Amino acid sequence: MIYRSKAPLRIGFAGGGTDVSPYSDIYGGAVLNATISLYARASIEPIPDKKIILQTLDRGEKYLYDLAPELPIDGCMDILKGVYNHISAKYGIIKEGFRLSTSVDAPAGSGLGTSSTLVVAVIGAFTEWLKLPLGNYDIAHMAYEIERSELNIAGGKQDQYTAAFGGFNYMEFFGEDKVIVNPLRIDKTHINELENNLLLYYTSTSRFSAEIIKEQQLNVQNDNKSSIEAMHVLKQQAMEMKEALLTGRIDRMGELLHEEFMYKKRMARSISNSGIDEIYKTALESGALGGKISGAGGGGFMVFYCPDIKRYDVIKALEKFNGKFKLYNFVKDGLFTWSI
């Protein structure tokens, strides 16, 4: 038997960063996001040898280990090892050798939640194999614990829950790791219009989101008034954008994206740079109503809201920057597992 899983990546619309501690613990956070047709995938195949084979099909990496209750965290495939170590410690030693293969439809550090989504997908594959009694909240919380507490990777909470649940969600974050996922029932017409008008653009650069997030966390810890006030506004904009989406005022979402990006840049200096600002300026001059850098910032994907037929003008204008536009659709399903 082979045990497979896939979990969708996401586009964050508003509130990103307010899901990061300590802001979410002190003030409470709120995020609006949606999953798209780009995925992290994982497969587990038991093998007769007492070995563990870890391989990333998209990156061409492969490592072999003796079957053991814990694998070394040494900078090589630590995310995969972290999931294995957690499950081995919590549910008992795995006594059968296996091959764990993964792939992701977007580069690491691209701002679509790739790392956290991969963690969710790997947990899903182990859940399918070992028949673990885990629901969506359980899997998302486990992914968060592995990344943030055990691997000490700085970041927020939204990506794990988005990947597990899927669809359009308004998420609320509180102290003591409390998270509430509010699925939104969006009219199909509104989804199609948003999909038609929202471009996903890869800047052909990546970044280490953890460093940007650490700067943001320090700003909260040091009571940086400008940064904290910006985060308050981002949280409010998540609510406003949710209302715009539910009521079909799709162009208003473009305006809010622009407002959010202006405030987001106040959260940490490294969120934007001269190259990103130049791309964004060109998109606006070509007809985009608004847009933003996806994820923590610093590089990776950007989104641009282009009303009517302006998308073609924006696509043409951004050709000089050597980035790539990525086709996608919004998807309603989150983590899915199966066996063959």
Side-chain angles (χ1 to χ4, degrees):
M1 294 285 285
I2 300 176
Y3 307 91
R4 301 199 195 278
S5 70
K6 68 174 186 177
L9 305 183
R10 60 99 181 106
I11 292 176
F13 295 117
T18 69
D19 60 315
V20 178
S21 298
Y23 179 87
S24 59
D25 301 330
I26 299 170
Y27 304 104
V31 168
L32 176 69
N33 57 36
T35 47
I36 58 176
S37 55
L38 301 174
Y39 293 90
R41 297 176 172 85
S43 295
I44 293 177
E45 181 181 3
I47 58 176
D49 301 325
K50 297 292 186 180
K51 301 289 184 181
I52 296 175
I53 301 171
L54 304 179
Q55 58 183 16
T56 55
L57 302 177
D58 51 334
R59 299 169 66 175
E61 299 174 327
K62 185 176 181 179
Y63 293 90
L64 176 66
Y65 300 91
D66 291 326
L67 184 62
E70 184 175 350
L71 296 178
I73 302 300
D74 55 7
C76 298
M77 298 191 181
D78 284 350
I79 282 178
L80 307 191
K81 294 175 184 175
V83 175
Y84 171 77
N85 291 347
H86 183 95
I87 288 176
S88 176
K90 187 168 185 177
Y91 296 101
I93 299 172
I94 295 172
K95 297 180 173 60
E96 188 176 7
F98 63 91
R99 177 186 292 108
L100 170 59
S101 306
T102 66
S103 64
V104 184
D105 291 343
S110 59
L112 300 180
T114 52
S115 296
S116 298
T117 305
L118 179 58
V119 175
V120 168
V122 174
I123 293 172
F126 275 107
T127 300
E128 180 72 15
W129 179 25
L130 304 174
K131 302 296 184 285
L132 302 178
L134 300 174
N136 288 340
Y137 274 106
D138 301 318
I139 289 173
H141 182 68
M142 180 184 292
Y144 178 79
E145 279 189 325
I146 291 169
E147 283 189 274
R148 308 296 175 237
S149 301
E150 296 169 17
L151 296 178
N152 295 314
I153 302 171
K157 301 182 181 74
Q158 67 160 313
D159 294 342
Q160 299 87 352
Y161 287 85
T162 305
F165 282 85
F168 284 81
N169 291 292
Y170 178 74
M171 299 181 174
E172 298 172 279
F173 306 91
F174 305 94
E176 300 180 350
D177 290 337
K178 180 181 178 181
V179 180
I180 298 176
V181 178
N182 303 282
L184 302 181
R185 296 182 61 183
I186 312 297
D187 188 284
K188 186 72 172 177
T189 298
H190 304 338
I191 294 175
N192 285 332
E193 183 66 10
L194 181 59
E195 205 171 77
N196 182 77
N197 293 354
L198 197 69
L199 293 174
L200 184 60
Y201 177 77
Y202 184 52
T203 62
S204 296
T205 62
S206 60
R207 77 288 182 272
F208 294 106
S209 62
E211 296 305 315
I212 299 171
I213 290 167
K214 285 177 182 177
E215 181 185 350
Q216 175 187 318
Q217 291 173 316
L218 282 173
N219 283 338
V220 176
Q221 291 168 2
N222 295 333
D223 199 25
N224 183 308
K225 301 298 184 183
S226 176
S227 179
I228 293 172
E229 180 59 33
M231 297 174 80
H232 290 340
V233 174
L234 292 178
K235 181 170 61 175
Q236 179 60 34
Q237 286 177 332
M239 172 69 77
E240 292 181 33
M241 197 174 291
K242 178 190 73 168
E243 294 175 355
L245 181 59
L246 287 170
T247 57
R249 294 179 293 125
I250 307 302
D251 282 355
R252 176 60 179 151
M253 292 187 67
E255 297 168 355
L256 287 168
L257 281 171
H258 174 71
E259 293 174 20
E260 190 208 12
F261 189 37
M262 296 302 102
Y263 278 99
K264 187 177 180 71
K265 290 195 289 185
R266 289 170 50 184
M267 288 163 48
R269 289 175 298 175
S270 49
I271 282 175
S272 191
N273 55 51
S274 59
I276 291 171
D277 288 343
E278 182 64 23
I279 292 171
Y280 188 68
K281 178 183 176 185
T282 301
L284 292 185
E285 290 173 346
S286 304
L289 270 184
K292 57 173 286 191
I293 192 77
S294 187
F301 278 92
M302 302 181 73
V303 293
F304 301 107
Y305 184 89
C306 309
D308 197 23
I309 57 174
K310 294 295 184 181
R311 61 185 290 132
Y312 302 101
D313 295 331
V314 173
I315 290 171
K316 182 68 175 176
L318 295 186
E319 285 180 355
K320 63 182 180 180
F321 295 105
N322 298 317
K324 299 177 182 178
F325 286 93
K326 189 77 170 180
L327 297 177
Y328 72 94
N329 299 106
F330 291 114
V331 296
K332 66 178 181 179
D333 294 323
L335 174 67
F336 186 81
T337 68
W338 70 100
S339 307
I340 59 170

